[in-house]
Each structure stands twice: as structure tokens, then as C-alpha cells.
Amino acid sequence: GQNIDQPTEMTATEGAIVQINCTYQTSGFNGLFWYQQHAGEAPTFLSYNVLDGLEEKGRFSSFLSRSKGYSYLLLKELQMKDSASYLCAVRDHQTGANNLFFGTGTRLTVIP
Amino acid sequence: DVKVTQSSRYLVKRTGEKVFLECVQDMDHENMFWYRQDPGLGLRLIYFSYDVKMKEKGDIPEGYSVSREKKERFSLILESASTNQTSMYLCASSEEVSEAFFGQGTRLTVV
């Protein structure tokens, strides 16, 4: 099965940097995704890592270490609109259809 | 833009009713998924489909069934709705290795 862990809640200050960690255990790893979800809305795709290393996309970066089963999402120059839940998801090719399994999400609150 | 459309944003149904949640995607994606999202539990996979007429159980299929008669449409069926099925239901579609695209969600309340 899949076991995906991330912190439940985090708080950070506007303009600062925050790192949201995710650890996972899966038998057929085939990529890790980060999604953003504002309250009452659908998740939207942020980033994808399948090889080790850092992927940068504007203010957001995501890192993956497959040997450690570990990823993080880095948000720089935080803005109030970044207050949302951030979902870590792992793709597992052994379960068919390359299923996407989600952690419970990290609710980030950005304060002035 | 990829579009995944769920038929209803909000639904209220009575216990014991048969409920249909419809999902349509316009990107010719092979894979389609149904999740439910509950506070503290995250997104949990109910059923998925990787081809027309193909369906596989996810982590929590009990009380649900699905139908995929056409590639673009994936329906979730609650055979006899119960109060513990009150939840946010999210449909998603993807290519084999791409990110999943989500519909806007259906908030179902069973009374």
C-alpha cells in the first residue's frame, strides 16, 4: 500500500519562505505531485518530480529524493493568497492506471 | 485548457436514494478517477478506470459502483445513499503519466 505523511498545519509570515515536507512509502513509485487546494475548490496542479533533485517554477520549487522517500515543496516570497492546503500525491504504477494517492494535506496559513 | 466537468456542485439526497454523480472530460484522457475528500482524511480513491468499460476498485469502494460506457464520461453511483456518504466528491482525469486534472467537486449531503 501507500503511506504518505505530511504535517497537518503550518503558519508562515507574508514575504517569508516556507518548506512543506512529505514522506512516502510505496511499492511502485512513478512520480510525485504537489497540488494546491483553496477552501471549497478543486485541487490544482503545482509541480511534478520523477527524478531526484529540485524542480523550480517561479516562486514554487519541489524537491525529491527517491532513496529517502522524501519530497518538499518550497514557497518563496509568500503572499496572502498562498493560504491554502497543499497536497502531496504519489503515483504508483503497480496498482493499475498509474493511480495517484494523496496525503491528507498541509493547511498553510499566511499571516501579515 | 483541460476541462473536467462534474454535473452538480451541490446535491442533497435522502437516505436510501440511488444517486448518480456524472463526470465528463474533454481531453481524451485514458484514466479517470473518483475520490472523496473528508476533513482529516484527505482524498481517498473510490474507483478508477483506465479504459472504456474497464473499472477497478480503489481504497474505499464499498457502497459505490461506477460506469464508463464512453471514454469521456465516468459516473459514480451510490446504490443506496447513507449519511456516512456525505462528503465532497472529486472526479479527475489524466494521461498515463501526466498530472491529474480535477473537476470542481460535488458536495453531497445525505439526510
Side-chain angles (χ1 to χ4, degrees):
Chain A
Q2 298 73 29
N3 192 11
I4 302 169
D5 288 312
Q6 50 183 132
T8 304
E9 294 192 20
M10 298 182 72
T11 302
T13 305
E14 190 176 15
I17 299 173
V18 70
Q19 177 174 312
I20 303 174
N21 296 324
C22 172
T23 59
Y24 65 89
Q25 292 176 315
T26 185
S27 50
F29 179 81
N30 196 21
L32 188 141
F33 298 79
W34 284 96
Y35 282 79
Q36 181 190 61
Q37 186 178 25
H38 286 99
E41 297 182 11
T44 55
F45 169 74
L46 286 178
S47 70
Y48 168 60
N49 296 70
V50 67
L51 300 176
D52 291 351
L54 189 69
E55 294 284 339
E56 297 188 76
K57 204 188 260 190
R59 294 190 299 115
F60 293 7
S61 304
S62 57
F63 172 83
L64 175 68
S65 168
R66 288 171 297 169
S67 62
K68 295 181 179 177
Y70 168 69
S71 173
Y72 67 72
L73 179 70
L74 195 71
L75 291 75
K76 304 174 189 173
E77 301 168 18
L78 279 172
Q79 301 175 10
M80 299 300 290
K81 67 178 182 179
D82 297 329
S83 291
S85 287
Y86 291 86
L87 312 179
C88 173
V90 171
R91 175 150 271 157
D92 187 332
H93 67 76
Q94 288 199 359
T95 57
N98 281 286
N99 283 339
L100 213 51
F101 292 91
F102 285 82
T104 55
T106 299
R107 181 181 297 180
L108 173 67
T109 302
V110 180
I111 57 176
Chain B
D1 277 355
V2 174
K3 198 156 188 187
V4 180
T5 304
Q6 295 182 227
S7 52
S8 304
R9 193 74 192 262
Y10 300 95
L11 270 182
V12 180
K13 296 291 181 181
R14 294 194 181 278
T15 301
E17 274 192 82
K18 190 169 187 175
V19 181
F20 292 86
L21 303 183
E22 306 286 350
C23 176
V24 177
Q25 51 98 0
D26 66 358
M27 283 303 292
D28 202 37
H29 284 166
E30 302 290 336
N31 302 330
M32 294 190 75
F33 308 87
W34 275 106
Y35 294 88
R36 64 176 282 177
Q37 187 174 30
D38 301 287
L41 297 176
L43 274 79
R44 293 180 290 166
L45 183 64
I46 304 171
Y47 266 96
F48 63 94
S49 168
Y50 51 88
D51 202 352
V52 176
K53 296 192 186 296
M54 304 298 289
K55 56 188 179 185
E56 296 285 344
K57 294 179 180 179
D59 292 329
I60 51 165
E62 296 79 19
Y64 303 94
S65 62
V66 290
S67 171
R68 193 157 182 212
E69 295 297 317
K70 294 184 178 181
K71 191 174 185 180
E72 67 271 19
R73 186 180 296 270
F74 192 36
S75 303
L76 180 70
I77 304 154
L78 287 67
E79 296 290 341
S80 177
S82 63
T83 54
N84 63 12
Q85 292 178 309
T86 292
S87 186
M88 169 70 91
Y89 290 88
L90 288 160
C91 173
S93 73
S94 76
E95 288 293 349
E96 188 164 334
V97 293
S98 76
E99 69 270 30
F101 296 87
F102 284 85
Q104 77 276 26
T106 297
R107 187 166 292 282
L108 173 67
T109 302
V110 182
V111 298

